Amino acid sequence: MSKFWLLVKQLYKQKVKAKSFIFSIVLYIAVISGVMFWSDIKEAFFQDEAMQIALVNETNAELEGLFESTSDIEFTFPNEDIADLEKQVIDGEYAAAIFVKDQENSLAAEIATFEPLTFNDQLSISSILQYAGKLYEVQQLNLTAEQAEKILQSETVISMKNLNEQSVSGKSEDEKAAGIGASFLVGFLIYSFVMTFLSMITTEVASEKGSRVLEVLLASVKPATHFMAKLTGIFLLALTQIAALLIIQGLLFMFIDGGSKWDLVMEIANELSLTYIGYAVAFLLLTIILYLILGALLGSLVSKVEEAGQAMMPAMMLGLTGFYVLISGMASPDTMLIKVFSYIPFTSGMVMPLRIGATDLAAFQPMLSMLILIGTVILLFLLSLSFYKRSVLTYSSGGIIQKIKTVLKVTT
Amino acid sequence: MTLFIDQVTKKYQDFVAVDNLSFTIEKGAIFGLIGQNGAGKTTTFRMILDLQETTEGNITWNGTHINSINRDVLGYLPEERGIFPSMTVEDQLYFFGELRGQQKKKLKKEVDYWIDRFELEDKRKAKAETLSKGNQQKVQLIASFIHKPEFLILDEPFSGLDPVNMDLLKNAILELRDNGTTILFSSHQMDNVEELCDHLCLLKRGVSLFTGSLLDLKKQYGKTKLTIRTEIPKEVLERLEGVKEIHVGKDQYTLTLINESYAQSIFDFVSNGKYIEKFSLDYLSLEEIFKDKVGGTHV
């Protein structure tokens, strides 16, 4: 086995067996499963009783049919007087009493509560009342059932026609929604992986340098071999983690709850184009490589492992910036901020997939962003390789800038 | 198989770490590189290991430039501990052996031998971070020569070792030398250098103050250290001709003579033709010569 693969094997074996690595996979699966199966978990563990709402109909119309009980809200229609009902609300028998009356052919409602309603409950009740109000008004117009149905179900058919031949064909709303959802997942994964493996490689190099084992290793292998072995070992770990996540999560989706979540994932995946998936994977892997190179370089600057946190701070800020820009684009993926950051190499991996998935953009734009990213990876690799050789055996104090100055001073 | 350092200089922007250094180490020799902290010892080692480039001069191993040789012929023990904290003793030795081109199967015999020799059998499966400082030093030392290097560099190999382990290490170094390994080492413990080295180089701020055999260095000063046990008062002894300095010990005097030719007359005076319990004329110790050369009291 060559020295390069021996170093890779040693690093990979040591890290893949580490409790922290296994724990991080479990944590990712727990978080993703928690989000995906939240409704089932909620049902199993938090079976709240439905909120009791007394509804008093003071109109002449038949309204009971408009207020259907759900698992969260149970409507009852008592015939008691207002004072008695209000007392029952105060006593906690009802969460709220709603008094509905006619006001100039429109529905007016008064909600009486003792304990304030939560924001979500208030929204749910408001939504039901708004819908009931529309139905009430339709009833007042004395329309036929078909006419009423038509008005209530009316929806404008919208289609897109793209006049720009250079641009890709317009995406449907469903495709864009799927693109936003998938992009958030891709962006979140890139951000999480980048932070995890950036920290891992910086600490790894700093630890070897701090413990002086690096000096022994470099007596046997060239710094370039060592640098490449660190990048390869940690990158293989990242691939292992991605593969483990995909396989375990996929199996969980397939076999839990009759595969309903797997169907949902497939449904979203079908809305995404192959181009999107290809770009997302390429951005994911390239961004991880970019941050690994930066992490190894920063790790080589410190004198002891305790300084690794401080050294990786600038790279973490870059990653965090990309993630915040991605979040800002969830509601509106067409802003100038999103456009600018989709070309900056350290953030494009998180931001460009959002633009590809959720906006209509010319084919050259993601291609250009990808080329800038590839160019930066190559450039940073060459620069880091040259600098690594000089910094890896230089020990100095002070901040990162001071350390860089020292390296340059003692090696030129 | 010789190491040849030829007029090597290492300059940084604002200082010279090693200045025009030259020496040769013959095959199977033990060569000592001594100097105060910051004298340039580690820089010299790093240049030999091709971890740092020379500014001027050449370093060759058996006639080949050091950056062109197969690095597996070298072994290196750095001054500070350099082992993987979470790796077991045994795995560590196999890893470093394999890294230096040995096959795992062939390493077993060596690993077992040295673990036994350094009394580490019960620590074989222990993680390095759980070992005492001395045991870590032993593991690191074995790791530096487990691949049977032709040329071994030991930077402060004795630091952190108790007298028993120090003897173990000295014997191991001599065994390696007997098996043909050429050894270059540095130490602040001059008695160890004196015991092990045939040749040495004395560095001060990157400049060689002396390079050659230990005996030649001692001969430069001559036999000027005279130790005597006598009832004669100090005031009388210090007035004797040829006495430069006198040091009063617990039950003896140590006199520094101007040169050894005065010893005979001092002997005649002190013994006065009778039995004398102690009269010993010797070379200065390496530590005394070192202090004299570098002009400091700290080694």
Side-chain angles (χ1 to χ4, degrees):
Chain A
M1 193 183 288
S2 72
K3 293 185 181 196
F4 170 78
W5 285 112
L6 206 65
L7 287 174
V8 171
K9 187 179 134 195
Q10 182 268 331
L11 171 63
Y12 184 82
K13 262 176 70 179
Q14 179 205 337
K15 295 286 176 194
V16 86
K17 285 192 288 188
K19 287 188 189 97
S20 57
F21 182 73
I22 296 163
F23 179 73
S24 67
I25 294 178
V26 173
L27 194 67
Y28 275 123
I29 290 170
V31 169
I32 297 172
S33 301
V35 171
M36 293 295 281
F37 292 106
W38 178 243
S39 56
D40 303 288
I41 295 167
K42 195 180 160 195
E43 207 170 287
F45 293 101
F46 310 101
Q47 265 188 335
D48 286 343
E49 284 182 12
M51 186 170 49
Q52 298 293 322
I53 304 283
L55 193 120
V56 181
N57 179 8
E58 294 173 6
T59 68
N60 296 324
E62 183 61 40
L63 292 179
E64 276 78 356
L66 303 182
F67 293 90
E68 283 181 16
S69 295
T70 64
S71 58
D72 294 328
I73 301 174
E74 189 176 337
F75 288 104
T76 51
F77 306 93
N79 289 321
E80 296 163 49
D81 63 36
I82 295 174
D84 281 349
L85 276 174
E86 284 182 345
K87 188 172 180 308
Q88 288 178 45
V89 170
I90 292 167
D91 292 344
E93 287 177 39
Y94 291 111
I98 304 175
F99 302 98
V100 182
K101 58 187 176 189
D102 181 277
Q103 195 171 327
E104 295 170 7
N105 287 339
S106 290
L107 214 55
E110 185 187 64
I111 305 171
T113 61
F114 183 71
E115 292 287 339
L117 295 172
T118 65
F119 181 66
N120 279 341
D121 291 340
Q122 206 169 334
L123 275 183
S124 305
I125 293 172
S126 296
S127 163
I128 293 169
L129 284 170
Q130 292 294 344
Y131 187 64
K134 278 186 188 168
L135 291 174
Y136 179 74
E137 282 189 44
V138 169
Q139 279 179 7
Q140 301 307 302
L141 294 172
N142 291 325
L143 302 172
T144 63
E146 288 77 20
Q147 286 171 325
E149 182 71 19
K150 198 164 184 208
I151 289 173
L152 289 171
Q153 299 299 327
S154 71
E155 196 175 332
T156 308
V157 177
I158 302 168
S159 63
M160 303 294 292
K161 186 179 180 186
N162 185 12
L163 299 176
N164 181 356
E165 287 176 3
Q166 286 182 323
S167 165
V168 290
S169 58
K171 294 183 179 71
S172 71
E173 210 174 306
D174 283 348
E175 285 171 332
K176 286 184 180 178
I180 288 183
S183 302
F184 180 73
L185 186 67
V186 169
F188 173 73
L189 284 178
I190 290 180
Y191 173 71
S192 310
F193 284 144
V194 156
M195 290 300 118
T196 307
F197 293 105
L198 168 79
S199 166
M200 196 182 279
I201 199 164
T202 309
T203 314
E204 172 69 18
V205 175
S207 154
E208 281 191 2
K209 188 178 173 189
S211 73
R212 302 299 201 273
V213 77
L214 195 53
E215 219 168 314
V216 184
L217 294 174
L218 294 183
S220 295
V221 298
K222 297 270 181 197
T225 311
H226 183 264
F227 182 70
M228 287 291 294
K230 289 289 160 207
L231 291 181
T232 310
I234 303 282
F235 186 65
L236 287 177
L237 269 178
L239 292 182
T240 307
Q241 191 166 71
I242 293 168
L245 276 182
L246 288 177
I247 293 167
I248 299 171
Q249 201 68 68
L251 289 174
L252 283 178
F253 285 162
M254 266 192 239
F255 294 109
I256 291 180
D257 199 19
S260 64
K261 296 295 182 286
W262 178 256
D263 296 339
L264 182 68
V265 171
M266 283 296 113
E267 208 174 293
I268 294 172
N270 288 337
E271 291 292 346
L272 301 171
S273 66
L274 270 178
T275 318
Y276 175 82
I277 295 170
Y279 268 121
V281 171
F283 271 112
L284 171 72
L285 299 182
L286 281 168
T287 307
I288 291 175
I289 293 172
L290 182 70
Y291 275 89
L292 286 185
I293 296 170
L294 191 60
L297 181 65
L298 294 172
S300 75
L301 283 170
V302 304
S303 299
K304 49 190 177 190
V305 70
E306 291 83 354
E307 294 172 356
Q310 180 202 355
M312 72 177 98
M313 195 56 81
M316 292 193 109
M317 294 308 289
L318 280 172
L320 204 60
T321 306
F323 188 61
Y324 278 130
V325 171
L326 167 72
I327 291 175
S328 82
M330 298 305 294
S332 172
D334 296 301
T335 60
M336 184 54 76
L337 184 75
I338 295 285
K339 285 178 185 167
V340 170
F341 277 85
S342 68
Y343 291 104
I344 296 173
F346 290 94
T347 57
S348 61
M350 286 168 253
V351 181
M352 188 45 105
L354 176 68
R355 287 191 66 200
I356 304 169
T359 65
D360 298 313
L361 72 171
F364 82 89
Q365 290 180 330
M367 189 76 80
L368 179 65
S369 173
M370 175 67 69
L371 286 174
I372 293 173
L373 182 57
I374 292 171
T376 310
V377 166
I378 295 170
L379 194 67
L380 189 68
F381 175 76
L382 295 174
L383 279 174
S384 299
L385 198 57
S386 152
F387 198 76
Y388 190 83
K389 287 177 194 169
R390 305 197 282 175
S391 63
V392 88
L393 289 176
T394 305
Y395 295 85
S396 60
S397 55
I400 289 295
I401 303 293
Q402 183 58 41
K403 286 176 192 299
I404 292 171
K405 278 185 187 169
T406 308
V407 171
L408 294 174
K409 186 176 159 189
V410 300
T411 57
T412 49
Chain B
M1 296 285 182
T2 52
L3 180 84
F4 185 36
I5 294 194
D6 182 24
Q7 296 180 317
V8 165
T9 297
K10 179 68 189 175
K11 280 182 192 163
Y12 297 117
Q13 270 181 4
D14 51 3
F15 75 104
V16 180
V18 176
D19 192 5
N20 202 29
L21 183 68
S22 295
F23 60 81
T24 304
I25 310 177
E26 298 296 338
K27 177 180 164 58
I30 301 179
F31 191 97
L33 192 59
I34 57 174
Q36 287 171 294
N37 295 325
K41 301 183 297 286
T42 302
T43 304
T44 305
F45 292 155
R46 286 182 174 180
M47 287 190 290
I48 296 170
L49 292 162
D50 198 25
L51 297 176
Q52 283 183 347
E53 288 172 12
T54 56
T55 311
E56 287 165 24
N58 273 312
I59 302 174
T60 58
W61 171 250
N62 203 25
T64 309
H65 198 277
I66 203 79
N67 62 16
S68 306
I69 63 163
N70 175 3
R71 292 160 91 97
D72 292 340
V73 304
L74 302 172
Y76 177 46
L77 174 80
E79 182 176 0
E80 294 184 55
R81 306 295 157 264
I83 44 180
F84 292 105
S86 57
M87 213 188 262
T88 67
V89 168
E90 192 179 37
D91 287 349
Q92 201 113 219
L93 299 180
Y94 278 116
F95 172 73
F96 281 111
E98 283 189 275
L99 193 66
R100 272 117 177 198
Q102 298 291 307
Q103 287 183 336
K104 198 169 183 179
K105 274 186 273 178
K106 289 182 182 170
L107 279 168
K108 189 177 182 316
K109 199 177 143 197
E110 289 296 312
V111 169
D112 291 347
Y113 173 74
W114 287 110
I115 280 183
D116 180 54
R117 173 87 192 261
F118 276 90
E119 297 164 2
L120 287 167
E121 194 56 58
D122 57 331
K123 309 286 183 197
R124 188 185 272 267
K125 301 283 180 193
K127 286 185 177 177
E129 62 193 353
T130 65
L131 303 179
S132 66
K133 196 178 171 191
N135 280 339
Q136 286 188 19
Q137 175 74 339
K138 289 198 270 183
V139 173
Q140 192 178 352
L141 184 81
I142 302 172
S144 70
F145 59 67
I146 194 73
H147 60 298
K148 294 184 180 170
E150 291 173 15
F151 180 51
L152 178 62
I153 295 176
L154 306 171
D155 197 354
E156 296 294 341
F158 299 103
S159 67
L161 292 182
D162 58 49
V164 175
N165 282 318
M166 215 177 270
D167 276 348
L168 266 175
L169 173 54
K170 273 187 233 170
N171 291 333
I173 289 175
L174 292 172
E175 185 181 326
L176 290 166
R177 191 266 318 265
D178 293 343
N179 289 334
T181 305
T182 306
I183 298 165
L184 169 62
F185 87 101
S186 72
S187 179
H188 287 154
Q189 285 145 313
M190 294 298 149
D191 48 343
N192 290 327
V193 179
E194 204 162 348
E195 200 177 329
L196 293 169
C197 294
D198 316 307
H199 292 77
L200 56 85
C201 174
L202 211 160
L203 278 179
K204 183 179 181 182
R205 292 184 195 141
V207 179
S208 167
L209 299 180
F210 174 84
T211 304
S213 81
L214 183 60
L215 195 58
D216 286 346
L217 177 64
K218 291 199 163 194
K219 279 180 178 169
Q220 278 187 2
Y221 283 81
K223 292 176 183 168
T224 55
K225 186 177 166 186
L226 177 62
T227 312
I228 54 177
R229 190 171 293 136
T230 175
E231 298 297 321
I232 300 170
K234 179 190 169 198
E235 293 72 26
V236 176
L237 291 173
E238 66 190 358
R239 282 200 298 270
L240 293 174
E241 193 183 5
V243 175
K244 195 161 79 175
E245 224 171 56
I246 184 163
H247 172 75
V248 184
K250 275 183 185 167
D251 62 345
Q252 62 184 26
Y253 298 104
T254 305
L255 284 65
T256 306
L257 307 184
I258 294 169
N259 63 56
E260 64 183 271
S261 65
Y262 294 100
Q264 181 66 51
S265 59
I266 294 173
F267 179 79
D268 293 342
F269 175 76
V270 172
S271 65
N272 197 22
K274 294 175 186 167
Y275 169 76
I276 182 166
E277 200 177 319
K278 184 170 187 180
F279 187 97
S280 167
L281 181 67
D282 208 345
Y283 291 112
L284 290 181
S285 70
L286 183 59
E287 184 164 337
E288 287 160 327
I289 294 173
F290 180 85
K291 283 176 183 170
D292 181 68
K293 285 269 187 194
V294 302
T297 51
H298 298 289
V299 179

